[in-house]
């Protein structure tokens, strides 16, 4: 950009994670430290534990806030273990998951024409591509239905464990005799964080599914989808479902969900392609790590699809025989840390 805007940050990740800094730089921001002026911006990371630092300073200095988060396609695994993010969500109003006021994403969904034929055709093609490649935000683990306890998307919707239990009761009541699968979030499946459901909530019909599985495969066999505010609800829409929401996620209120707690200001009716185009094509900043530049969604999908294809081929491990000791380390480095290799 000809003139980047100074973005003052108080979260170490903005300074230590080079990919985040690079995407923000390419998007027209200059990471800065210190105290901002009235014409500067303060950057915070969603509703992270350190977000209050930036919010407090912005309030005192009367400075606008920019909310930043991982994009809806991120990396193979959650967090730094999965590698740097493939894109960012940059919002000048509020986090996209907070329904208290309209975010930039909600403004796009409510007021953008979303009637460009080429845009909608690209959206339909991208949905089909994600389906064909079994892709989700973290494609090595599938996606999430049971969210992690304290998840900002849950608390922003005013939900808690009781809301999850209510949802589970309704699902069993509305589909007597049908099995109910609770899809565990990747972070709960690995033991990093606690979910809202436990084994005590299970019975002969209700099971917690914590193994890696494609969300598209789950949707193909499902007769109904229930969620509070999980990203799985968005993917359920893309797969042709009309999920029942017990929170107020960004994808609720546009005629594609059954909402227990509707956001009254959302009255527009959208198609799947329009919802996807706004959420995945227009709103995020996608990054091409091989050409070091911002890119379109299609390029981002193919980048993550290639990584996913390699991981799925390699993650079960390989055997190597007849290798000298000096060759083992380069081979392991080539395959990556997530590929076990048995040397014989």
């Amino acid at each position: 950009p000809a003139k980047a805007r100074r973005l003052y940050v108080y979260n170490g990740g903005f300074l230590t994670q080079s990919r985040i800094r690079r995407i923000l730089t390419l998007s027209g921001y200059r990471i800065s430290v210190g105290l901002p002026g009235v014409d500067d911006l303060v950057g915070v990371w969603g509703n992270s534990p350190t977000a209050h630092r930036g919010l407090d300073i912005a309030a005192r200095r009367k400075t606008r806030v920019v909310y930043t988060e991982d994009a809806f396609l991120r990396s193979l695994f959650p967090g730094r273990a999965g590698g740097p993010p493939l894109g960012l969500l940059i919002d000048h109003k509020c986090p996209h998951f907070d329904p208290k006021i309209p975010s930039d994403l909600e403004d796009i969904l409510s007021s953008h024409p979303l009637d460009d034929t080429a845009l909608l055709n690209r959206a339909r093609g991208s949905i089909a591509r994600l389906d064909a490649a079994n892709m989700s935000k973290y494609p090595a683990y599938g996606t999430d239905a049971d969210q992690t306890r304290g998840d900002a998307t849950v608390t922003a919707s005013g939900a808690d464990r009781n809301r999850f239990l209510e949802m589970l009761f309704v699902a069993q009541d509305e589909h007597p005799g049908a099995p109910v699968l609770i899809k565990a979030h990747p972070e709960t499946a690995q033991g990093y964080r606690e979910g809202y459901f436990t084994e005590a909530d299970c019975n002969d019909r209700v099971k917690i599914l914590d193994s890696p599985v494609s969300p598209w495969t789950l949707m193909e066999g499902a007769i109904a989808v229930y969620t509070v505010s999980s990203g799985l609800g968005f993917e359920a829409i893309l797969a042709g479902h009309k999920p029942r929401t017990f929170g107020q996620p960004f994808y609720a209120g546009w005629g594609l969900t059954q909402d227990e707690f509707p956001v009254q200001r959302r009255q527009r009716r959208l198609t799947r392609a329009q919802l996807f185009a706004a959420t995945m094509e227009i709103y995020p900043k996608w990054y091409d790590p091989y050409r070091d530049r911002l890119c379109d969604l299609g390029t981002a999908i193919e980048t993550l699809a290639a990584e996913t294809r390699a991981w799925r081929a390699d993650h079960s491990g390989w055997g190597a025989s007849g290798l000298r000791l000096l060759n083992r380390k380069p081979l392991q480095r080539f395959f990556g840390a997530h590929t076990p290799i048995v040397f014989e």
Side-chain angles (χ1 to χ4, degrees):
K3 185 177 181 181
R5 298 193 65 180
R6 288 183 296 188
L7 184 70
Y8 286 80
V9 298
Y10 308 93
N11 177 312
F14 286 107
L15 303 174
T16 60
Q17 297 189 45
S18 59
R19 175 70 62 81
I20 292 175
R21 293 201 316 273
R22 186 58 180 155
I23 297 175
L24 287 170
T25 298
L26 292 172
S27 301
Y29 304 93
R30 178 156 57 93
I31 300 296
S32 305
V33 294
L35 293 176
V38 293
D39 295 326
D40 297 321
L41 301 168
V42 170
V44 301
W45 190 265
N47 273 359
S48 69
T50 59
H52 68 90
R53 301 173 187 168
L55 295 176
D56 291 344
I57 290 177
R60 291 201 302 267
R61 306 284 293 186
K62 296 180 171 54
T63 306
R64 293 180 59 188
V65 177
V66 176
Y67 299 88
T68 308
E69 291 183 274
D70 293 327
F72 297 113
L73 289 177
R74 189 200 184 278
S75 57
L76 282 172
F77 303 89
R80 296 189 184 186
L86 198 59
L88 294 178
L89 308 179
I90 303 173
D91 204 298
H92 284 246
K93 293 185 176 178
C94 70
H96 73 277
F97 53 77
D98 192 338
K100 294 182 181 63
I101 63 173
S103 63
D104 287 340
L105 175 56
E106 184 173 332
D107 283 349
I108 296 170
L109 291 166
S110 63
S111 60
H112 192 288
L114 297 175
D115 59 357
D116 181 81
T117 301
L119 172 67
L120 298 180
N121 284 340
R122 286 199 306 273
R124 296 184 187 97
S126 294
I127 293 173
R129 181 70 181 103
L130 292 174
D131 184 3
N134 285 327
M135 294 275 288
S136 65
K137 186 174 183 177
Y138 308 117
Y141 290 108
T143 188
D144 56 312
D146 174 23
Q147 291 160 281
T148 55
R149 188 161 299 211
D151 190 312
T153 65
V154 175
T155 56
S157 293
D160 55 15
R161 173 167 159 77
N162 289 332
R163 184 77 62 80
F164 278 81
L165 293 177
E166 175 189 0
M167 177 176 66
L168 181 59
F169 173 81
V170 172
Q172 295 177 84
D173 184 63
E174 291 184 342
H175 300 281
V180 177
L181 290 181
I182 300 172
K183 181 62 183 76
H185 189 284
E187 292 182 6
T188 65
Q190 294 185 45
Y192 294 147
R193 296 177 66 183
E194 184 181 358
Y196 281 92
F197 290 114
T198 69
E199 289 294 338
D201 301 315
C202 299
N203 53 44
D204 57 344
R205 291 177 53 201
V206 179
K207 307 294 181 185
I208 293 179
L209 178 63
D210 57 7
S211 58
V213 63
S214 163
W216 300 92
T217 302
L218 282 177
M219 297 304 167
E220 184 178 354
I223 58 175
V225 176
Y226 296 77
T227 182
V228 172
S229 55
S230 168
L232 185 63
F234 177 57
E235 292 172 315
I237 293 172
L238 303 184
H241 286 275
K242 191 171 185 177
R244 184 93 166 261
T245 67
F246 287 74
Q248 296 178 323
F250 72 89
Y251 51 81
W254 313 108
L256 297 167
T257 54
Q258 302 178 61
D259 304 320
E260 293 297 308
F261 303 91
V263 180
Q264 295 302 329
R265 65 177 179 269
R266 299 178 187 173
Q267 298 294 326
R268 190 181 186 186
R269 294 295 174 261
L270 300 174
T271 65
R272 280 193 307 155
Q274 288 175 319
L275 175 68
F276 185 89
T279 303
M280 300 292 283
E281 296 267 3
I282 299 174
Y283 183 52
K285 296 291 186 183
W286 298 108
Y287 177 70
D288 183 345
Y290 302 104
R291 298 175 180 85
D292 186 31
R293 66 187 184 191
L294 298 182
C295 64
D296 59 15
L297 172 63
T299 302
I301 289 176
E302 294 309 322
T303 299
L304 188 55
E307 294 179 8
T308 303
R309 188 166 57 249
W311 179 84
R312 289 173 180 167
D314 296 337
H315 78 282
S316 294
W318 296 93
S321 60
L323 286 176
R324 295 181 179 180
L325 288 176
L326 60 88
N327 293 328
R328 295 185 179 187
K329 188 173 181 179
L331 183 67
Q332 182 68 72
R333 188 164 58 243
F334 175 82
F335 275 92
H338 299 300
T339 302
I341 299 178
V342 178
F343 295 101
E344 301 174 357

